[in-house]
Amino acid sequence: MTFFYNFLLKPATGIFYRFNIFYLCKESIRMIAKIREFTGGMNFANAMKITLAAVIPVVLLNGFGYFEYGFTIAVGALLTYPSDIPSNKTHKIRGVTIAALIVAGSNLLINFLYPIPLLLYPVFTFLIFFLAMISVYGQRANMVSFSGLLALSLAFAHIHKGTEMLINSGLMLAGGLFYLLISIAYDLIWPHRYVQQQIAECIRLTAKYMKLRGDLWDIDADRAKIIENQLHLQVELNTIHENLREILIRYRSKSGASNQNRKMLLVFISCVEILELGLSTSFNHNELHQKFSNFPKALPTYQQLAYNLAATLKRISKRITRNKQYQSKHTLTKDLEALEKVIAAYRTEFGETQASEGVLMLSNMLHYAEKQIEKIRVIERAFSSKTDLKELPVKDRELEKLITPVYYPFNTFKENLSFSSLIFRHSLRITVTILLGLIVGNLLPLQNPYWILLTIIVIMRPGYGLTKERSYNRIIGTVLGGVIAFASLHFIHNNIAIGTIAVVSMLFGFAFTQINYKVGATFVTMYVVFIYALLMPENTKVAEFRILDTAIGGALAFIANYLLWPSWEFLSLPAYIRKSIEANANYLREIKLYYVAKGETTAAYRLSRKNAFVETGNLMASFQRMSQEPKSKQKQIQLLYKIVELNHTLLSASASIGTYIQTHHTTKSSEAFNVVMNTVIKNLDNAVKILTHEVQPSSINPESKDHELDLRFTELKNLRAKELRALANDDAEFYLKMQESQLVIEQLVWLINLSESIVKTTLKLEEKL
């Protein structure tokens, strides 16, 4: 027995114990890394700014016996905070200042008119509608609108009279301006931190996209699901790309270009090009697996290279997030060498003639990977050295064409004053819902009826799906936060401890709101309950009333989005489809022109590429919203998703040709290329005409093909080979020309098939909608 214990059981127990210690240490390190990433992120930084702006006035003025003044300043800061969105410094100052003025002005007006109900409610109604309508001017206007609506609702919390209302509104204005001061101070202390965080997130999402592209190479991959995930990711990438264009390009044009700005802009351009290269690796994976079934190590070698590209980008992203200098491991060169050896082995095993087509395919894949590695090395150098960057691959004037102009003409507001406008319908809907909330709050014996109004404003969105999701998450978060807060108060009776927990809850509430709304709502509710516990310790029903008010507000918002002038996505999806097809057609036109002209990519080419990416992302975002709506409103959802997928695949095939032309010394475009491209563009134009009802669907037959096109495809490879042989001076040059021919011809055939499928699917959609 002793022998058994000493030689078998004891060592095994020791190994098990050490394994657990190792596992716990590994998990602890991983958890610490995640906490550091969270606290180093912009969501936490923004939460810190608003927490400081709200807490400092309360603590300072409470020391002089003016707690109420400090609390009012804190409220002003909290209401102004939403308007602080990504932008350059000038726009931030203007936006936050205007939001602070609207917050203070709204509060003053409601207090002034409160004794005159016949004037109060018409003005209140007009202000709600007007503030909701200014969302037509974009994201910043939308957030300024949100601040104003919150201020209007919160004005009913405590009505002041005489000079008190002037003092109260002045203090709220001071709070908004104090928040602006904190925000500017943060930018001065960490001037490049926000851009670095956005770049890190851009690189992380690009790495995730690259990982998904690698997943496509699994022989049993669920490619439909992977493509769907890519489309979802494209929506996120579009948003962050737009943020970075706004900050890096517009700020550069206003204030000149520092070395840091040049670095960040170069990294951003590299990220966009890596994404385009990733999208360009558009292959028929089933066909490739059949092609290399007798040489099984070819595709896994390329897949491993694709995974390592993604892993390298992810490592760079993590180092930027942690604000540490990046140290390159230089492992990607070995992955390239491994693929080169596989290509050589394939050629040796099957012979030059039999292996020629497979070698061309693998060589094209290798070339794309080489170009991606070049772009990754640009990013690595930017974050691993202090090299001064003098030149950018694009001129300033060309860059400025990639950003959306900022101007606020009154015509935009006027043109949206109709039921065809989603913003107009949403403005009417939220106005009616808030008025209903006000009536319900006054009729029922509630403690703080204005919480109903706040809930409606926070939850209600133009789309049904998002409103439903936020309603659910807010109610769950409110209940959970109330339970946790009151359970804590049962054991904690020290005011300093309660105040500290309230501040921490506020910090985490704002930090999580953008990441996980349910968790954010939980912490915000805890913060409210703790604050009430300090202000009114005898009132123990605050959580009950908050839960009830939240439930009423959420229910009203949910019902209103379903019944009052609803904006169902199946009605607006055709417009998104049209824009996406038009953007793809314009991108193809620019590719065709570039193939003829060669040289540097033009501003028109870059702009068309950007628009194609953006519109494809917008189309997917619209489809996402539709998938969250009631089943009865998801009309022809399978057909619509097919169009979304076809547009994305068409963009991928287009990018493949465009990228190849940019990265190779290509020959003169043949007449065959022009004929095929013209046919693809014509098909896309026909699809747009069907959607806009410019032609009768019966007049378009997608099955009929031009005789010249058939002839070109029948003889294209032979004609191209003969033409290229005449141009080539040696076998190596001829091989490179054939590589070009093979890839371009494959993509042209693919583009024809895709464009025809888009026309067919559009015809079916028009018949059934």
Side-chain angles (χ1 to χ4, degrees):
M1 217 35 206
T2 305
F3 176 86
F4 175 80
Y5 175 77
N6 287 334
F7 288 91
L8 294 177
L9 186 59
K10 188 175 180 180
T13 305
I15 291 169
F16 180 74
Y17 174 78
R18 285 193 295 274
F19 172 77
N20 275 280
I21 291 295
F22 173 74
Y23 176 78
L24 289 172
C25 290
K26 186 178 178 182
E27 286 301 306
S28 297
I29 292 169
R30 186 179 298 173
M31 186 178 295
I32 291 168
K34 285 187 174 294
I35 291 171
R36 288 177 63 186
E37 284 181 23
F38 172 69
T39 55
M42 282 311 301
N43 286 315
F44 190 81
N46 290 334
M48 278 294 297
K49 288 190 288 185
I50 184 54
T51 301
L52 288 172
V55 170
I56 290 173
V58 173
V59 172
L60 287 179
L61 292 176
N62 185 54
F64 294 99
Y66 295 103
F67 172 81
E68 287 188 4
Y69 285 179
F71 189 78
T72 305
I73 292 172
V75 170
L78 289 166
L79 292 176
T80 305
Y81 157 73
S83 62
D84 186 9
I85 64 169
S87 64
N88 62 61
K89 191 179 295 182
T90 303
H91 289 159
K92 169 188 278 196
I93 293 171
R94 287 177 184 170
V96 175
T97 303
I98 289 170
L101 289 168
I102 288 175
V103 165
S106 299
N107 181 271
L108 180 62
L109 194 58
I110 296 300
N111 277 264
F112 180 76
L113 295 177
Y114 191 79
I116 319 168
L118 290 176
L119 196 55
L120 170 68
Y121 293 107
V123 171
F124 178 69
T125 303
F126 170 78
L127 286 174
I128 293 170
F129 178 77
F130 175 78
L131 287 172
M133 274 297 298
I134 64 174
S135 298
V136 298
Y137 292 114
Q139 186 187 8
R140 181 176 299 285
N142 183 45
M143 299 316 295
V144 171
S145 162
F146 182 67
S147 292
L149 291 171
L150 287 176
L152 278 174
S153 301
L154 200 60
F156 288 96
H158 189 64
I159 300 297
H160 298 84
K161 297 178 181 179
T163 56
E164 281 188 8
M165 60 181 168
L166 291 172
I167 294 171
N168 190 68
S169 297
L171 291 170
M172 292 181 79
L173 176 61
L177 297 178
F178 182 64
Y179 170 77
L180 176 60
L181 186 65
I182 292 283
S183 185
I184 292 172
Y186 177 89
D187 291 341
L188 290 173
I189 297 170
W190 295 283
H192 306 297
R193 189 60 182 153
Y194 177 77
V195 176
Q196 285 181 336
Q197 289 290 341
Q198 289 289 288
I199 286 287
E201 182 66 5
C202 181
I203 295 172
R204 185 188 72 81
L205 292 175
T206 306
K208 192 174 178 182
Y209 192 93
M210 297 289 292
K211 169 67 167 56
L212 288 171
R213 298 298 288 186
D215 291 342
L216 287 169
W217 292 97
D218 285 333
I219 193 167
D220 55 349
D222 184 351
R223 294 191 179 89
K225 184 64 179 176
I226 292 170
I227 289 172
E228 184 181 349
N229 290 336
Q230 286 180 330
L231 287 166
H232 287 294
L233 197 57
Q234 186 68 55
V235 177
E236 294 182 63
L237 280 164
N238 282 352
T239 301
I240 201 160
H241 284 177
E242 196 59 37
N243 284 347
L244 286 167
R245 286 188 192 100
E246 169 70 23
I247 296 165
L248 292 172
I249 300 175
R250 199 184 301 280
Y251 180 73
R252 175 185 176 84
S253 64
K254 297 278 184 186
S255 60
S258 65
N259 183 52
Q260 182 67 15
N261 182 272
R262 279 193 294 271
K263 278 188 178 184
M264 294 299 103
L265 189 51
L266 185 60
V267 169
F268 171 58
I269 292 171
S270 299
C271 282
V272 173
E273 289 175 343
I274 288 170
L275 182 66
E276 186 185 26
L277 284 163
L279 192 66
S280 301
T281 51
S282 175
F283 300 99
N284 187 327
H285 295 88
N286 291 328
E287 186 181 302
L288 279 170
H289 278 291
Q290 290 176 2
K291 177 73 180 174
F292 295 102
S293 59
N294 52 359
F295 196 74
K297 64 180 179 180
L299 298 184
T301 303
Y302 175 75
Q303 184 185 43
Q304 188 58 47
L305 172 56
Y307 281 151
N308 287 343
L309 289 170
T312 302
L313 286 171
K314 190 175 180 180
R315 282 197 300 272
I316 296 171
S317 172
K318 285 184 176 181
R319 299 299 288 184
I320 300 169
T321 301
R322 295 171 188 173
N323 205 22
K324 291 186 177 180
Q325 194 171 29
Y326 177 76
Q327 297 294 329
S328 175
K329 295 186 178 181
H330 301 291
T331 58
L332 294 175
T333 305
K334 294 179 182 178
D335 296 316
L336 279 178
E337 291 171 356
L339 185 56
E340 287 172 348
K341 288 177 182 177
V342 163
I343 296 171
Y346 181 77
R347 183 186 286 113
T348 301
E349 184 168 332
F350 294 98
E352 194 71 40
T353 303
Q354 187 179 346
S356 60
E357 189 176 354
V359 169
L360 285 171
M361 290 178 179
L362 291 172
S363 297
N364 279 325
M365 293 155 65
L366 174 68
H367 182 77
Y368 279 129
E370 287 172 339
K371 290 298 177 182
Q372 285 175 321
I373 290 171
E374 283 180 21
K375 302 301 177 186
I376 290 173
R377 283 175 175 162
V378 170
I379 297 174
E380 286 180 332
R381 285 197 297 272
F383 290 107
S384 59
S385 67
K386 295 183 179 179
T387 307
D388 189 22
L389 300 173
K390 298 294 184 185
E391 296 295 334
L392 283 168
V394 194
K395 296 178 181 179
D396 284 356
R397 288 184 179 179
E398 292 182 353
L399 286 169
E400 288 176 27
K401 293 177 182 178
L402 297 178
I403 57 177
T404 306
V406 176
Y407 58 98
Y408 306 106
F410 179 70
N411 279 343
T412 303
F413 188 93
K414 189 169 66 174
E415 287 167 4
N416 278 272
L417 292 174
S418 70
F419 277 92
S420 62
S421 168
L422 297 178
I423 299 295
F424 178 78
R425 279 184 279 166
H426 174 65
S427 301
L428 277 181
R429 192 184 308 124
I430 198 169
T431 302
V432 172
T433 311
I434 287 174
L435 292 174
L436 286 173
L438 195 61
I439 293 168
V440 171
N442 288 329
L443 290 177
L444 297 178
L446 300 173
Q447 187 184 68
N448 298 307
Y450 65 88
W451 274 348
I452 296 175
L453 309 187
L454 293 175
T455 301
I456 291 169
I457 293 164
V458 170
I459 287 176
M460 204 164 192
R461 292 293 179 270
Y464 171 90
L466 188 55
T467 299
K468 175 184 173 183
E469 182 185 353
R470 288 174 76 89
S471 298
Y472 170 79
N473 287 335
R474 187 163 181 85
I475 290 170
I476 295 296
T478 300
V479 172
L480 189 60
V483 170
I484 295 172
F486 270 94
S488 302
L489 289 172
H490 183 74
F491 298 101
I492 302 171
H493 303 287
N494 184 282
N495 284 349
I496 294 175
I498 293 171
T500 303
I501 297 172
V503 171
V504 172
S505 299
M506 179 184 180
L507 176 63
F508 282 103
F510 281 107
F512 275 103
T513 297
Q514 299 298 324
I515 304 169
N516 188 315
Y517 189 69
K518 190 188 299 179
V519 175
T522 300
F523 279 110
V524 168
T525 301
M526 290 170 61
Y527 158 71
V528 170
V529 172
F530 288 134
I531 288 295
Y532 268 85
L534 290 172
L535 298 177
M536 294 178 285
E538 71 286 350
N539 189 344
T540 59
K541 293 189 176 182
V542 61
E544 296 174 23
F545 282 113
R546 181 168 173 80
I547 292 168
L548 181 59
D549 292 335
T550 299
I552 293 170
L556 286 172
F558 178 73
I559 294 168
N561 261 70
Y562 191 89
L563 297 177
L564 301 178
W565 312 287
S567 304
W568 304 119
E569 283 299 323
F570 77 88
L571 296 171
S572 54
L573 253 174
Y576 286 107
I577 293 170
R578 175 182 57 78
K579 289 178 181 178
S580 181
I581 295 173
E582 285 176 339
N584 275 326
N586 288 333
Y587 184 29
L588 282 167
R589 287 188 183 95
E590 289 300 325
I591 290 171
K592 179 188 165 188
L593 291 173
Y594 183 66
Y595 203 175
V596 174
K598 305 295 191 297
E600 294 294 324
T601 54
T602 62
Y605 179 93
R606 291 176 180 273
L607 185 59
S608 68
R609 180 183 63 185
K610 172 209 163 186
N611 289 338
F613 275 80
V614 168
E615 294 302 342
T616 302
N618 289 343
L619 175 57
M620 184 57 196
S622 179
F623 182 83
Q624 283 178 322
R625 293 192 293 270
M626 181 182 181
S627 65
Q628 296 173 329
E629 293 177 348
K631 295 291 183 183
S632 61
K633 305 301 178 184
Q634 296 179 11
K635 297 184 179 182
Q636 302 302 323
I637 190 166
Q638 296 299 328
L639 206 55
L640 286 166
Y641 181 70
K642 185 177 180 181
I643 292 185
V644 173
E645 190 175 358
L646 284 169
N647 269 282
H648 177 263
T649 310
L650 182 81
L651 175 60
S652 179
S654 304
S656 183
I657 294 180
T659 304
Y660 190 91
I661 298 167
Q662 287 181 67
T663 56
H664 288 74
H665 293 293
T666 54
T667 59
K668 181 182 178 182
S669 64
S670 66
E671 185 58 30
F673 175 84
N674 294 327
V675 169
V676 175
M677 289 292 278
N678 287 338
T679 304
V680 173
I681 293 168
K682 181 182 176 182
N683 285 338
L684 297 181
D685 289 341
N686 282 338
V688 171
K689 288 176 182 177
I690 293 167
L691 290 167
T692 55
H693 306 105
E694 292 180 34
V695 296
Q696 291 296 324
S698 57
S699 66
I700 294 176
N701 183 9
E703 300 294 339
S704 65
K705 291 186 179 179
D706 186 88
H707 174 70
E708 185 184 6
L709 184 66
D710 283 335
L711 178 65
R712 293 294 180 180
F713 275 131
T714 303
E715 301 179 357
L716 190 55
K717 284 192 177 181
N718 293 334
L719 291 172
R720 196 66 171 141
K722 183 179 179 181
E723 181 184 271
L724 294 173
R725 173 63 76 180
L727 289 171
N729 296 321
D730 53 43
D731 287 341
E733 185 179 352
F734 177 70
Y735 174 76
L736 290 174
K737 302 301 181 187
M738 280 304 298
Q739 182 182 341
E740 172 194 345
S741 178
Q742 187 266 341
L743 181 133
V744 172
I745 290 170
E746 273 195 357
Q747 296 305 322
L748 289 175
V749 173
W750 190 221
L751 281 170
I752 284 289
N753 293 333
L754 288 168
S755 64
E756 288 174 353
S757 295
I758 287 174
V759 174
K760 291 175 187 176
T761 311
T762 306
L763 284 169
K764 287 181 184 177
L765 188 65
E766 279 298 299
E767 289 172 7
K768 295 184 178 182
L769 280 182

